[in-house]
Amino acid sequence: MSGKFILVKERTKYRFNLVDDQGDVLFKGAIASTKDMAQRKVDLMKSWGDDLVYHLQPMAGPHGGYTIRGEEHTSREGEQGRIGDAAPLGFSAVFETEDEMERVRKEIVSAAKGAVVEDQTEE
């Protein structure tokens, strides 16, 4: 599967969406104050290749369900995704089951490898 990173402008801020072949959003980038900052996050995610999975933290929601939080830092044994100084890359949608979340986590890695970048900021 190959995907596409789409840079978007929302009011005065920027972010990216990682979409799959069908155009479904797999991962929404964290808000960035400049387009260059959003592009930097895209470049990081593309550069990690298969190691991107180590930057995608599975998280159980407080009211049930699961999501995936992307971080610049990798998870380390014992920290359980609670890294206070980790810069967020973004989040996935919320999933009902852990199995569904793990499937999409693999799809995010697959889609990010070799993904093209499309600029829809109109700048």
Side-chain angles (χ1 to χ4, degrees):
M1 169 195 305
S2 63
K4 184 188 307 184
F5 285 101
I6 302 174
L7 293 171
V8 295
K9 185 172 184 180
E10 297 178 355
R11 296 185 188 147
T12 61
K13 303 294 182 185
Y14 301 85
R15 77 171 358 149
F16 66 87
N17 294 319
L18 175 60
V19 299
D20 63 12
D21 294 334
Q22 291 78 37
D24 296 326
V25 176
L26 297 172
F27 191 81
K28 287 185 87 64
I31 296 292
S33 56
T34 68
K35 186 165 103 174
D36 287 341
M37 292 172 79
Q39 180 68 52
R40 179 185 164 280
K41 292 176 184 184
V42 167
D43 293 342
L44 278 173
M45 289 182 70
K46 288 178 64 171
S47 73
W48 287 322
D50 287 332
D51 288 342
L52 175 59
V53 73
Y54 302 118
H55 297 268
L56 300 175
Q57 310 301 324
M59 297 177 62
H63 306 290
Y66 298 88
T67 191
I68 300 166
R69 179 178 191 248
E71 302 172 337
E72 282 193 43
H73 295 263
T74 60
S75 64
R76 293 178 291 273
E77 190 65 33
E79 291 177 338
Q80 300 173 346
R82 295 184 196 95
I83 303 173
D85 65 345
L89 294 172
F91 290 89
S92 69
V94 176
F95 307 102
E96 297 280 327
T97 67
E98 193 171 353
D99 289 340
E100 182 183 9
M101 184 266 312
E102 283 298 333
R103 179 185 55 77
V104 172
R105 187 175 177 203
K106 290 175 186 170
E107 288 178 13
I108 291 169
V109 173
S110 178
K113 287 195 288 187
V116 296
V117 179
E118 182 178 308
D119 187 346
Q120 293 184 0
T121 62
E122 299 178 5
E123 294 183 349

